Amino acid sequence: MSHLLQSTFIPTTPTTLHRRSVFPTTHLRKTHVVESKIREIFMPALSSTMTEGKIISWMKTEGDKLAKGESVVVVESDKADMDVESFYDGYLASIIVPEGSSAPVGSPIALLAESEDEISLAKSKTPTPTSTSSPAATASVTEEVSTVAAAVTVTSSSDAGPVKMASSIHPASEGGKRVVASPYAKKLAKELGLDLRGVVGSGPNGRIVAKDVEAAAGSAPIGVAAAAKPSGGAPAAPAVELGTTVPFTTMQNAVSRNMVESLAVPTFRVGYTITTNALDALYKKVKSKGVTMTALLAKATALALVKHPVVNSSCRDGKSFTYNSSINIAVAVAIDGGLITPVLQDADKVDLYSLSRKWRELVDKARAKQLQPHEYTTGTFTLSNLGMFGVDRFDAILPPGTGAIMAVGASQPTLVGTKDGQIGMKNQMQVNVTADHRVIYGADLAAFLQTLAQIIEDPKDLTL
């Protein structure tokens, strides 16, 4: 779904030009003249939670001609990087917000001139931090404010074409001064020691994406490359300058706002121990077919939620709650500079193998910061899994607008007593659910967790 970027005309002549006439008043006539059209391009709202955006890169420079539908700028929202396309022909007359700077949603970030002759006029009207609108300029409005839209699209890395090494300057380098690349592509290039100036991008207007970097380096996909690295020694800690104060990124600001908002919700927590021997055995059988443990847990959770719809409900206004019609499992993923929750939609209806393929696709897009809003804002129940780090139990903070989140710990061999008085070894994991107590009560969670345990301990329904 496209998002819209608003702009308005900045007229340059008075509304009317009056002149006294020697003719009778019946012959008086009012003229209406507009000499130029200069449009303000505003920072778009790319998600419902976005309050400001950061300019990642301008894909055009001042004076460049723009065609309708052409990408102009890459904006970082609270969760993803999005390309902004122009809905009008014209010239990028003046850039108000430079690369690396942020601006509130709705504030002007650039001026668009209708003709090349109007570029200098637009530059003279470029606002500065100390300038304000004059009454004269306000009085000179000649026409109703028009709405100018720019479409916002998320570039999918699956659209990448053949990749090749460049021996000369390519479109993404803009004359060799600047390389236009996605944040993940830059990070990957740094890890591989690759100079992006020698890579041809397959994204819009030559923008470099992760697959371009991998192909240029002659490497396998990042997951395979990481596995092939020598495992000796602990991973190096990220280089940071101690004693410095670092401002939040756009994503960190969004996470901070959400966490503070969640404090207003009365929550409670219920824990449960689940035996995972049967699930572990199933995972060994289907792993070779591309099935992930995340998909198994999401599928099991979704099937349990079918029988306990109140746990899949949500309360947003404090006066009512909604039984959500879909079971969309959001799964927390740590990415560079923040956290995001890609959503497995209709997880109860999608088969396990399709669910696994979809999850891998979502993770790739999340790491490249290319998720579309509906892929991370539509969750009805959230999973947070730290088991792969050996964490045995933890509590998760409830995301705003949802009813519950489940924290999943590691499955570990445990000595347990059986009903016949014997002692045996079983694999067990701890899960803790944090829920909105305005909607969900202790008995609801207890019943849900019992059903989840039954599904995991006898997982035959997961592969149906």
Side-chain angles (χ1 to χ4, degrees), residues 18 61 169 189 300 387:
H18 296 282
T61 58
I169 295 170

Side-chain angles (χ1 to χ4, degrees), residues 33-51:
V33 179
V34 178
E35 291 184 353
S36 62
K37 294 178 182 177
I38 299 170
R39 299 183 173 97
E40 284 183 322
I41 301 177
F42 295 115
M43 175 65 71
L46 305 179
S47 72
S48 59
T49 59
M50 179 176 168
T51 59

Side-chain angles (χ1 to χ4, degrees), residues 405-417:
I405 179 172
M406 184 165 69
V408 181
S411 176
Q412 298 177 333
T414 308
L415 282 173
V416 297

Side-chain angles (χ1 to χ4, degrees), residues 148-176:
V148 179
V152 177
T153 59
V154 178
T155 305
S156 172
S157 58
S158 62
D159 296 333
V163 181
K164 55 186 177 181
M165 292 296 291
S167 58
S168 60
I169 295 170
H170 59 87
S173 70
E174 297 196 354

